[in-house]
Amino acid sequence: MKTPGLLKDLQQAVGTAHVLTRDSADLSAYETDWRKRHTGRALAVVRPGNTEEVAQVVRLCAQAGASLVPQGGNTGLVVGSVPDTLGRQVVLNSTRMNQVLALDAANLTLTVQAGCALQAAQNAAEQAGLLLPLSLAAEGSCTVGGNLATNAGGTQVLRFGNARELCLGLEVVTPQGEVWNGLSGLRKDNTGYDLRHLYIGSEGTLGVITAATLKLYPQPVAQLTAWAAVPSLQAAVDLLGLAQRHLGAGLSGFELMGQFALGLVDKHFPALRVPLWQTQPHCVLLENSDNESEAHARERFETLLEIALAQGCATDAVVAESLAQSRNLWHIRESISMAQAEEGLNIKHDISLPVSRIPDFCAETDALLARTLPGVRLVNFGHLGDGNLHYNVQAPQGVDPKQFLGQHETAINALVFDAVARFNGSISAEHGIGSLKAHTLPHYKSPVALALMRSIKQALDPQNIMNPGRVLAQNTD
Amino acid sequence: MKTPGLLKDLQQAVGTAHVLTRDSADLSAYETDWRKRHTGRALAVVRPGNTEEVAQVVRLCAQAGASLVPQGGNTGLVVGSVPDTLGRQVVLNSTRMNQVLALDAANLTLTVQAGCALQAAQNAAEQAGLLLPLSLAAEGSCTVGGNLATNAGGTQVLRFGNARELCLGLEVVTPQGEVWNGLSGLRKDNTGYDLRHLYIGSEGTLGVITAATLKLYPQPVAQLTAWAAVPSLQAAVDLLGLAQRHLGAGLSGFELMGQFALGLVDKHFPALRVPLWQTQPHCVLLENSDNESEAHARERFETLLEIALAQGCATDAVVAESLAQSRNLWHIRESISMAQAEEGLNIKHDISLPVSRIPDFCAETDALLARTLPGVRLVNFGHLGDGNLHYNVQAPQGVDPKQFLGQHETAINALVFDAVARFNGSISAEHGIGSLKAHTLPHYKSPVALALMRSIKQALDPQNIMNPGRVLAQNTD
């Protein structure tokens, strides 16, 4: 690798000011991942201003044999967008490419550059009276390119699908530095292999997403939230089925929260006044997005909850009286992560299962954990409507969390993931693989699928310069 | 190719009764495509009974260097599932693999073998009180495997998406005869490249789909149909926007029908009593699927249509008074294809455009056609909500259709497809490429995309035994 030559070439391609190196700038924000689990060392951070510059940067790196790490807001949770420690990778940061390129109200589409922050894209839609229904905790910092590269999930998947389902078209720079303009506002296009879906979720290992066309929806007229205590996980699953029948596509959120998780919120954020959590093992939060009126949304919720109470799949329930109350209920749900952090380090899992199997999965895995590690505490919550649980494991009361993690993390991960596999679930529902799970994946993914993935990677990136070692580990066991 | 050995091996693999050859059976149903544009000649038609037999058949063909043509109900419209004329291809027909494997009501999923007829899959869902919302004209004969291999569209795409969006998991036999079991009932799974979406729409050129897990939905409580006359295409687009805002996800159909198309139905099937067609250049059919009640659906429709009439985007409208009336309105829409066949041969196009560009596209292309071929008649109708038009060209009154097609088909296709390209549309919205459009595709698809497709084909099927020459032509120009 001819480093000095490459740096000069990169400066020529994007302008000296946009090639950051250790000598001239503090690179820590680009080199350390969001959860601060890993700090790498970049040869340079390059910040191109447009697609043609991205293509040039990729070509220069390919010529020099330097590998690239595509990076958006760097908010990923699986160490997929920071360089390794060898100091030879080029971080390709998209955040200068943050423009909204087009909004087509009649076609219900929004086209943005990859580096556009998700919130900026949401705002552009909202200004036109429309809804971009991708929403997640990091939306102020994360980019649309990163959302698509990792197929982000979030809180509205139940109604609108993952990031993948919201994308109609992509522009991509290939590992050879060619530009594929697949920016389409088309809802139907059967002209060959679906390259769009191949790049979505490939975590920057097959090319660089530089722009995207996203689906928009009319804004709902009213959004109402309800909260119910449920006597069991099976009751929560039954309530989900009832809600799907009665609210149809109006049901835009169905979140499950275990009693211990809510207890942590109550303990660390008492001002939030968590409702109904003490009587039953779980609560659920339901959201109804109505295109008619708030009164209609309320009437539908009340009918649903009456039936649920009569059938015994909820024992108590409240419907938010105001937007402020709705927001507060969501705020409680979103405070679980913070509350568990207050309680101390824990082992996080982002798993998914067929919805129907969640009660049995939890019964079996809870018992297995309790038997293996007596006193262990479970912070179990998540997007039940999507079959997605954040099934997090906290040290027993009084045990030092750091020591507990050091001793038991590997075994606990194996226990949980083995259980997930027995129930035909996924070890990564919405966070992806990155480098964090690249060595775990081969234990749980079908060998045939892995071989197909390797063939595709080899075919599209034979030089292995695009985010090497992510998703597919370089030295498998 | 060692033919006699291969036939014997195939008989051993699936049983003598399930290897059909010219000597022993009439193969015409397997060798001729649905529209009778092409008749091929198969070495044999093999009808395996399960996935392991499919894998064996593929391995035997790979060893013998024989290529395979996967075939479901053989109802495709682009000559993608019949053999070529050389008598050396093995047709792999899936229709013996027609079982419903599992229905999970709580998870809202249905798992079927690839050869299951779409209607049988719909019925299985219906018996459980659920809806499989893939619906198209050939549903009695077509198979779920074929629907997914071609990413079928149909009448409910506006609300539920194409076949692609309804599939959560696949089982596939690779060109090497390995089985990938990706049958998942998961709504979230970010563990590597999305192989599912790569196989969906690849028309049997990358592997053989042997089973699939599909999304189900609660049955709507009421489905109501309305019919409106609109003064222009722009008014139709405006009405679509209004309907999306007022009905939200309740809007499950929005079909456009041009006056000439409706006139043909009126002429050839007068008993259908086409409403409102004489006053305006277009009519639209709207469908509202309601999870509340028929009265509610009607009230929502009436509110919508009042606003539409007041705003001038409809000039007259009726809401069906009964289920029978609703069915009749759909029947009129579905009779357009038959009516144009009665009128004589025509040149069919299955194109898509951004919805917002449809008025300009039609204005420009209608004028261009009228200038180039005076007197030419346009049977223009389609799924406006999806941007999908069946923009069909009929010979001028009194001109022999066959002669007209012979003289002008190539030029008319080029004229229409060039216009589609100028408006960023697709030359195949829902029918696919097959062999019919494989030589046309390179003129309209990005060379970068085509090169990526070729790399993927080469990587996954280096022997080129899976449906060769379909999607990607073998001798490009």
Side-chain angles (χ1 to χ4, degrees):
Chain A
M1 200 173 75
K2 298 161 239 150
T3 301
L6 175 60
L7 282 177
K8 202 171 273 175
D9 290 346
L10 291 171
Q11 286 170 347
Q12 207 148 32
V14 303
T16 311
H18 305 304
V19 179
L20 313 180
T21 60
R22 191 166 313 284
D23 306 336
S24 62
D26 174 11
L27 301 186
S28 55
Y30 306 97
E31 291 178 331
T32 299
D33 79 299
W34 190 247
R35 279 190 182 160
K36 305 202 192 310
R37 283 164 169 264
H38 174 88
T39 295
R41 200 179 155 84
L43 173 68
V45 175
V46 181
R47 304 181 68 231
N50 57 51
T51 302
E52 190 34 53
E53 286 183 10
V54 173
Q56 264 185 279
V57 168
V58 173
R59 287 194 296 268
L60 291 170
C61 288
Q63 278 159 27
S67 62
L68 290 133
V69 179
Q71 183 182 76
N74 196 20
T75 61
L77 300 175
V78 289
V79 193
S81 60
V82 289
D84 64 24
T85 53
L86 302 177
R88 294 193 296 224
Q89 296 193 306
V90 172
V91 172
L92 185 68
N93 183 287
S94 68
T95 50
R96 278 181 68 219
M97 296 169 60
N98 59 3
Q99 298 301 299
V100 171
L101 298 174
L103 188 146
D104 183 340
N107 196 45
L108 291 174
T109 48
L110 178 72
T111 302
V112 299
Q113 288 185 308
C116 181
L118 174 55
Q119 200 160 63
Q122 291 167 343
N123 291 345
E126 202 178 335
Q127 275 163 33
L130 297 168
L131 174 73
L132 171 61
L134 183 65
S135 176
L136 43 102
E139 61 199 22
S141 316
C142 66
T143 62
V144 170
N147 296 149
L148 291 169
T150 59
N151 185 29
T155 57
Q156 306 207 55
V157 174
L158 177 61
R159 165 67 183 93
F160 296 102
N162 298 285
R164 174 184 301 291
E165 277 84 32
L166 294 171
C167 179
L168 292 174
L170 290 180
E171 181 187 74
V172 170
V173 172
T174 70
Q176 292 74 42
E178 293 188 287
V179 180
W180 169 51
N181 182 339
L183 289 176
S184 141
L186 302 178
R187 275 161 169 84
K188 282 183 173 175
D189 182 13
N190 278 347
T191 54
Y193 307 158
D194 200 314
L195 301 171
R196 165 189 52 151
H197 279 303
L198 186 59
Y199 288 114
I200 296 174
S202 69
E203 303 186 27
T205 63
L206 300 178
V208 187
I209 294 172
T210 50
T213 300
L214 303 170
K215 285 187 202 169
L216 302 178
Y217 289 82
Q219 288 275 2
V221 173
Q223 265 185 328
L224 213 60
T225 304
W227 186 278
V230 296
S232 66
L233 274 172
Q234 186 57 51
V237 170
D238 294 343
L239 178 56
L240 172 65
L242 264 187
Q244 285 169 322
R245 276 202 297 286
H246 282 268
L247 305 179
L251 183 68
S252 53
F254 195 98
E255 299 286 313
L256 176 84
M257 297 150 291
Q259 192 172 38
F260 179 68
L262 290 175
L264 289 182
V265 177
D266 185 70
K267 175 177 167 189
H268 295 289
F269 309 109
L272 290 178
R273 303 169 60 112
V274 181
L276 307 184
W277 70 277
Q278 277 166 313
T279 58
Q280 296 294 351
H282 299 89
C283 287
V284 298
L285 183 160
L286 302 91
E287 186 181 70
N288 183 9
S289 297
D290 197 286
N291 44 47
E292 208 167 325
S293 67
E294 193 182 312
H296 182 256
R298 190 173 300 281
E299 185 265 309
R300 293 308 290 159
F301 249 157
E302 282 164 2
T303 306
L304 166 68
L305 293 170
E306 254 172 53
I307 298 169
L309 291 168
Q311 295 191 358
C313 56
T315 57
D316 203 350
V318 290
V319 180
E321 289 295 331
S322 64
L323 195 59
Q325 249 185 41
S326 274
R327 281 205 187 118
N328 188 58
L329 294 176
W330 271 112
H331 193 47
I332 293 167
R333 159 66 182 84
E334 282 156 3
S335 299
I336 294 175
S337 295
M338 296 255 289
Q340 67 182 355
E342 290 289 322
E343 189 72 8
L345 279 178
N346 58 54
I347 304 166
K348 295 191 199 317
H349 301 111
D350 165 45
I351 58 176
S352 67
L353 299 147
V355 173
S356 54
R357 309 212 63 190
I358 284 179
D360 286 348
F361 167 83
C362 289
E364 183 175 315
T365 314
D366 292 6
L368 205 54
L369 276 168
R371 218 161 45 232
T372 313
L373 294 154
V376 86
R377 298 174 299 169
L378 285 171
V379 186
N380 189 7
F381 65 103
H383 316 293
L384 187 72
D386 315 320
N388 181 191
L389 295 180
H390 299 302
Y391 187 86
N392 299 342
V393 180
Q394 198 124 24
Q397 186 91 44
V399 173
D400 177 66
K402 206 162 175 182
Q403 208 180 338
F404 179 80
L405 258 70
Q407 254 180 312
H408 300 295
E409 183 163 14
T410 310
I412 288 176
N413 283 343
L415 186 155
V416 172
F417 291 159
D418 288 355
V420 166
R422 284 196 301 280
F423 284 85
N424 292 321
S426 165
I427 64 162
S428 186
E430 57 180 9
H431 295 169
I433 300 299
S435 57
L436 194 66
K437 293 186 184 166
H439 287 278
T440 308
L441 188 62
H443 298 287
Y444 298 101
K445 191 96 179 173
S446 125
V448 178
L450 280 170
L452 287 164
M453 285 165 57
R454 288 190 184 283
S455 297
I456 292 166
K457 170 71 173 174
Q458 169 68 26
L460 300 192
D461 181 19
Q463 262 192 289
N464 194 25
I465 63 165
M466 295 304 310
N467 222 3
R470 280 67 194 256
V471 183
L472 294 165
Q474 292 190 280
N475 305 302
T476 51
D477 31 5
Chain B
M1 201 172 73
K2 296 161 245 150
T3 300
L6 176 59
L7 283 177
K8 202 171 274 178
D9 290 346
L10 291 171
Q11 285 170 348
Q12 206 148 34
V14 303
T16 310
H18 305 303
V19 178
L20 313 180
T21 61
R22 189 166 315 284
D23 305 335
S24 61
D26 174 11
L27 301 186
S28 56
Y30 305 97
E31 292 179 330
T32 299
D33 79 299
W34 190 246
R35 279 192 181 157
K36 305 200 190 311
R37 283 164 169 264
H38 174 86
T39 295
R41 199 178 155 85
L43 172 67
V45 175
V46 180
R47 304 181 68 230
N50 58 50
T51 302
E52 190 34 54
E53 287 184 10
V54 173
Q56 264 185 281
V57 168
V58 172
R59 286 195 297 267
L60 291 170
C61 288
Q63 277 160 28
S67 62
L68 290 133
V69 180
Q71 183 182 77
N74 196 20
T75 61
L77 300 174
V78 289
V79 194
S81 59
V82 288
D84 64 24
T85 52
L86 302 178
R88 293 194 297 223
Q89 296 192 307
V90 172
V91 171
L92 185 67
N93 183 286
S94 68
T95 48
R96 277 182 69 221
M97 296 170 60
N98 60 2
Q99 298 301 300
V100 171
L101 299 175
L103 188 146
D104 183 340
N107 195 46
L108 290 175
T109 48
L110 178 73
T111 302
V112 299
Q113 288 185 308
C116 181
L118 175 54
Q119 202 162 59
Q122 293 168 343
N123 290 346
E126 204 179 335
Q127 275 163 31
L130 298 168
L131 175 73
L132 171 62
L134 183 65
S135 176
L136 43 102
E139 61 199 20
S141 319
C142 65
T143 62
V144 170
N147 296 150
L148 291 168
T150 59
N151 186 29
T155 56
Q156 305 209 55
V157 174
L158 176 61
R159 164 66 183 95
F160 297 102
N162 299 284
R164 174 184 300 291
E165 278 84 30
L166 294 172
C167 179
L168 291 174
L170 290 180
E171 181 187 74
V172 170
V173 172
T174 70
Q176 292 73 41
E178 292 188 287
V179 180
W180 168 52
N181 181 338
L183 289 177
S184 142
L186 302 178
R187 276 162 168 85
K188 283 183 171 175
D189 181 14
N190 278 346
T191 54
Y193 307 158
D194 200 314
L195 301 172
R196 165 191 51 155
H197 280 303
L198 186 58
Y199 289 113
I200 296 174
S202 67
E203 303 186 28
T205 63
L206 300 178
V208 186
I209 295 173
T210 49
T213 300
L214 303 169
K215 284 188 204 169
L216 301 178
Y217 289 82
Q219 288 274 4
V221 172
Q223 265 187 328
L224 213 62
T225 304
W227 186 279
V230 297
S232 65
L233 273 173
Q234 186 57 52
V237 170
D238 294 343
L239 178 57
L240 173 65
L242 264 188
Q244 284 168 323
R245 275 202 297 289
H246 283 267
L247 306 180
L251 184 68
S252 52
F254 195 98
E255 300 286 313
L256 176 84
M257 297 150 291
Q259 192 172 41
F260 179 67
L262 290 175
L264 288 183
V265 177
D266 184 70
K267 174 176 166 190
H268 297 287
F269 308 109
L272 289 177
R273 302 169 60 112
V274 181
L276 308 183
W277 70 277
Q278 276 167 312
T279 58
Q280 297 294 351
H282 299 89
C283 286
V284 297
L285 183 160
L286 302 92
E287 185 182 70
N288 183 11
S289 297
D290 197 284
N291 43 47
E292 210 167 323
S293 66
E294 192 181 314
H296 182 256
R298 189 174 302 281
E299 185 267 309
R300 295 306 292 159
F301 249 157
E302 282 165 1
T303 307
L304 165 68
L305 293 170
E306 256 172 50
I307 298 170
L309 292 167
Q311 294 191 2
C313 54
T315 58
D316 204 349
V318 290
V319 179
E321 289 296 330
S322 63
L323 194 60
Q325 249 186 42
S326 274
R327 283 207 186 116
N328 188 56
L329 293 176
W330 270 113
H331 193 47
I332 293 167
R333 158 67 182 85
E334 283 156 5
S335 300
I336 295 175
S337 294
M338 296 254 289
Q340 67 182 354
E342 290 288 320
E343 189 72 8
L345 277 179
N346 58 55
I347 304 166
K348 294 191 197 321
H349 302 111
D350 164 45
I351 59 176
S352 68
L353 299 147
V355 172
S356 54
R357 309 210 66 191
I358 284 179
D360 286 350
F361 167 83
C362 288
E364 185 176 312
T365 313
D366 291 6
L368 205 54
L369 276 168
R371 215 159 49 231
T372 313
L373 295 154
V376 87
R377 298 175 299 170
L378 284 172
V379 185
N380 189 7
F381 65 104
H383 316 293
L384 187 71
D386 315 320
N388 181 191
L389 295 180
H390 299 301
Y391 187 87
N392 300 341
V393 180
Q394 198 123 24
Q397 187 90 44
V399 173
D400 176 66
K402 204 159 176 186
Q403 206 179 342
F404 180 79
L405 257 70
Q407 251 180 317
H408 299 296
E409 183 164 14
T410 309
I412 287 176
N413 284 342
L415 185 154
V416 172
F417 291 159
D418 288 354
V420 166
R422 285 196 300 281
F423 285 85
N424 292 318
S426 164
I427 64 162
S428 185
E430 54 179 11
H431 295 171
I433 299 300
S435 57
L436 194 67
K437 293 184 184 168
H439 287 278
T440 309
L441 188 63
H443 299 287
Y444 298 101
K445 191 93 179 174
S446 126
V448 178
L450 280 171
L452 287 165
M453 285 164 57
R454 287 189 184 284
S455 298
I456 292 165
K457 170 72 173 173
Q458 169 68 25
L460 301 193
D461 181 21
Q463 261 191 289
N464 194 26
I465 61 164
M466 295 302 311
N467 222 2
R470 279 67 196 256
V471 182
L472 294 165
Q474 293 190 280
N475 306 302
T476 51
D477 33 4

